[in-house]
Amino acid sequence: MDAKPHDAFQELNKARMNLATKEDTVCLAATTGMAYFRTGNDFEGRRYYEAAIELARQVGNDNLVTLAKVHFARERLLRGDKDAVLDFMKAYEAAMKLQETNIPAVVDHMAKEIAPVVAHLK
């Protein structure tokens, strides 16, 4: 098992939540979800990503909703979840509409990175 997720947990524990904006909280929740997925705890990973997506919706930040959905689908794909292919494609399409941001470039890079995983799942 890679030590990086454990390092992420240590850094997340240092976060000063009283200073965090709602957008910061979305990012911290999503990062926690990623760390849980990377340690093999899909249940907690899913729980944190779903919380991040819901909070991003409550804040009204569609960019963060899209990013959280893309990353959530990516983590699920990396764990072999075939159902995540459609979720990633939907989030990818939403991301490509955000041309005024750097999100399409980030998501396009991510799509290329996971293409072999998706091909293997089909």
Side-chain angles (χ1 to χ4, degrees):
M1 184 179 318
D2 193 347
K4 290 183 182 183
H6 296 290
D7 294 343
F9 284 124
Q10 287 179 340
E11 292 303 314
L12 288 163
N13 287 332
K14 294 178 188 176
R16 296 178 58 190
M17 294 306 292
N18 60 324
L19 300 177
T21 65
K22 288 182 181 181
E23 288 82 1
D24 293 337
T25 304
V26 169
C27 296
L28 290 168
T31 302
T32 302
M34 179 187 68
Y36 273 116
F37 268 109
R38 298 291 173 97
T39 61
N41 189 336
D42 294 3
F43 178 81
E44 287 297 318
R46 179 178 295 275
R47 191 169 74 84
Y48 274 91
Y49 268 112
E50 288 171 350
I53 292 165
E54 182 56 32
L55 182 57
R57 280 190 184 118
Q58 290 173 9
V59 171
N61 191 322
D62 293 336
N63 293 357
L64 285 180
V65 169
T66 300
L67 278 173
K69 284 182 174 184
V70 168
H71 283 276
F72 181 28
R74 175 178 169 250
E75 292 305 316
R76 290 170 47 216
L77 285 167
L78 292 174
R79 300 284 297 153
D81 181 351
K82 291 181 181 182
D83 295 333
V85 174
L86 182 58
D87 292 339
F88 186 87
M89 289 172 38
K90 287 179 184 177
Y92 180 90
E93 289 175 16
M96 291 303 117
K97 294 176 184 175
L98 303 173
Q99 292 298 316
E100 72 282 357
T101 71
N102 68 344
I103 293 172
V106 170
V107 174
D108 196 47
H109 176 76
M110 192 182 301
K112 290 174 185 166
E113 175 190 64
I114 63 165
V117 174
V118 172
H120 179 71
L121 290 175
K122 289 184 179 183

